Amino acid sequence: MHSNAQVLIVDSDPLNRVVLENTLSEDCRVALQDNCEDAIEFIATHKVDLIITDISLVDSQGVTFIQRLKNNSETYKIPVIIVSSSSSYSDEVKGLQMGAVDYITKPFSPLIVRARVKIHLVLKQKSDLLEELASIDGLTELPNRRLFDKHLADQWQSCRAAGNTLGVLLVDIDYFKAYNDMYGYGAGDECLIKVARSLKETVDSHQGFIARYDGVRFAVILPGHTMEQIEVLLYMMHDAIDKLLLPHKSSPICAHVSISTGIVLIEKEFSLGVAKCLQYANSALSQAHVNQERMVLLMR
C-alpha cells in the first residue's frame, strides 16, 4: 500500500509516535517529529503526502500546527489526520473546521488508523494526478499556460527578493500556419511535439523552465542567468531545431522548420510587473518576425 508515500507523524508524546510508526511502517515511509518548528522545517525540505498530528500542538505564538499548515500556500494541500485523546464533539468539529481531513480518538485501533491512512493517501494521489493533468498541455506534454503563469509569478518574487536576474523568452515556430496548410494538421501536431521535445531538452540543460504558452508559441523562464548565458542557450535552441531538419517548403526564410525568439532580461526593473514583461517579450518576438531576425533581446 503506497510504499513510496511519506507520512509525517507530529506528536509530543513519544509513546504515540512509536505506536503510530509501528502501525504504518510496513505500508509507507514514516517520519517522526515532536514539535511544530522541526515539523515545518522537515516539510520544507521533504515531500510529505500526509500528516498525523495531535490537535494540542501549538507554536510559541500560540498558533496551532494545523493553522500554520493551512495558512501556507506551500503546505495547505497536505491532508492532516488528527489523533487526539479528546472524544469531545466540539473538539472534533474544531479540528475539522481548521482543515483536518479526519479525526481519530485515542486509544485507537491500529487497523482503523491503517485503513483511514490508506483512504486519504489514495485520495491525495488522485488529487495530485488531477492537478498535474490540469497543468500539463495534452499535446506536447509540457507545462501549460496555467502552470507557466504560476511559475513566473513565483520566480518574479523570488528573483526580486534575492536580487537575481530573470530572463523571459517567447519562442514561435516560423510560418506555422503555412506549414499546416501544406502538410496538414496531423503533421502540424507532430511538428509541435518534436519541437517541444527538442526545446525542453535544451532548456532543461540550462536549469530553465519551458511551457506551451499558446497555440504555436512556447515560453521559457531563466532565473539567475546573465545575458551571455541566455545568448548561449538561444543559439543552442535554434541549433537544436535546425538539426531536426523538418521540411518546410512554405517558409520564405528557411527550407526547414525554424523558430524565432523574443527575450526580456530583467536585471533590476521588477517594478514593471509580470504583465508588462510579457508584453515586452511579445513585442521583441514580433520585431524578430518583422525584421526576419532569429532573436531579439530587450534589457530592462
Side-chain angles (χ1 to χ4, degrees):
M1 173 187 88
H2 303 282
S3 58
N4 291 324
Q6 175 76 72
V7 174
L8 174 62
I9 297 169
V10 188
D11 198 312
S12 56
D13 187 330
L15 179 59
N16 286 339
R17 295 197 302 271
V18 170
V19 172
L20 287 168
E21 181 181 24
N22 291 339
T23 300
L24 300 172
S25 59
E26 292 184 7
D27 301 326
C28 53
R29 294 182 294 119
V30 178
L32 305 175
Q33 298 293 340
D34 63 2
N35 64 82
C36 297
E37 298 303 330
D38 288 345
I40 293 294
E41 289 185 13
F42 180 87
I43 295 168
T45 56
H46 297 77
K47 182 181 183 298
V48 175
D49 297 290
L50 186 142
I51 297 170
I52 301 176
T53 188
D54 189 323
I55 197 172
S56 63
L57 278 174
V58 295
D59 66 16
S60 57
Q61 283 76 43
V63 180
T64 69
F65 177 53
I66 297 175
Q67 285 175 316
R68 290 187 66 181
L69 293 173
K70 298 307 174 183
N71 290 336
N72 188 317
S73 61
E74 301 296 324
T75 60
Y76 79 97
K77 292 183 180 180
I78 303 175
V80 178
I81 296 177
I82 294 173
V83 176
S84 174
S85 58
S86 172
S87 58
S88 164
Y89 171 77
S90 60
D91 283 344
E92 181 174 354
V93 170
K94 177 183 176 182
L96 296 174
Q97 287 178 338
M98 282 193 297
V101 297
D102 209 339
Y103 189 100
I104 301 173
T105 57
K106 304 173 186 176
F108 55 79
S109 162
L111 292 177
I112 293 295
V113 172
R114 289 182 68 186
R116 294 194 179 181
V117 166
K118 179 178 180 180
I119 289 170
H120 291 295
L121 285 177
V122 169
L123 292 173
K124 174 66 161 52
Q125 184 182 47
K126 291 181 177 179
S127 176
D128 288 347
L129 179 58
L130 287 173
E131 184 170 349
E132 180 182 354
L133 292 174
S135 301
I136 298 298
D137 175 61
L139 179 64
T140 64
E141 297 184 357
L142 291 179
N144 60 17
R145 176 65 184 272
R146 173 175 175 266
L147 188 55
F148 168 80
D149 287 341
K150 180 181 184 303
H151 191 73
L152 179 57
D154 291 343
Q155 288 297 324
W156 193 273
Q157 296 297 330
S158 177
C159 289
R160 178 166 60 181
N164 290 331
T165 62
L166 181 63
V168 179
L169 289 61
L170 288 183
V171 184
D172 193 14
I173 300 177
D174 297 324
Y175 299 97
F176 190 70
K177 182 180 184 302
Y179 185 95
N180 273 335
D181 291 342
M182 171 163 281
Y183 299 100
Y185 288 99
D189 286 349
E190 287 299 318
C191 175
L192 276 171
I193 292 169
K194 291 176 181 178
V195 169
R197 185 181 300 126
S198 184
L199 289 176
K200 185 177 189 307
E201 289 175 358
T202 308
V203 172
D204 283 351
S205 71
H206 280 66
Q207 291 75 53
F209 175 91
I210 184 169
R212 188 177 183 187
Y213 188 72
D214 54 24
V216 70
R217 293 189 297 176
F218 304 93
V220 178
I221 302 171
L222 299 168
H225 284 57
T226 64
M227 182 177 70
E228 291 76 15
Q229 290 172 325
I230 290 177
E231 287 178 338
V232 169
L233 174 59
L234 287 171
Y235 283 111
M236 290 179 63
M237 290 167 60
H238 284 270
D239 187 54
I241 301 307
D242 289 343
K243 287 180 178 178
L244 292 176
L245 294 175
L246 298 172
H248 191 350
K249 295 180 180 179
S250 297
S251 173
I253 61 173
C254 189
H256 56 263
V257 168
S258 60
I259 58 173
S260 295
T261 50
I263 312 102
V264 174
L265 177 59
I266 306 295
E267 293 186 314
K268 296 179 180 179
E269 294 299 323
F270 285 93
S271 59
L272 65 88
V274 171
K276 202 70 174 178
C277 173
L278 291 173
Q279 181 180 327
Y280 285 143
N282 188 59
S283 296
L285 180 59
S286 297
Q287 184 179 333
H289 283 311
V290 171
N291 298 334
Q292 294 191 352
E293 300 175 11
R294 303 192 76 184
M295 59 193 78
V296 171
L297 173 65
L298 295 178
M299 300 287 291
R300 292 289 169 184

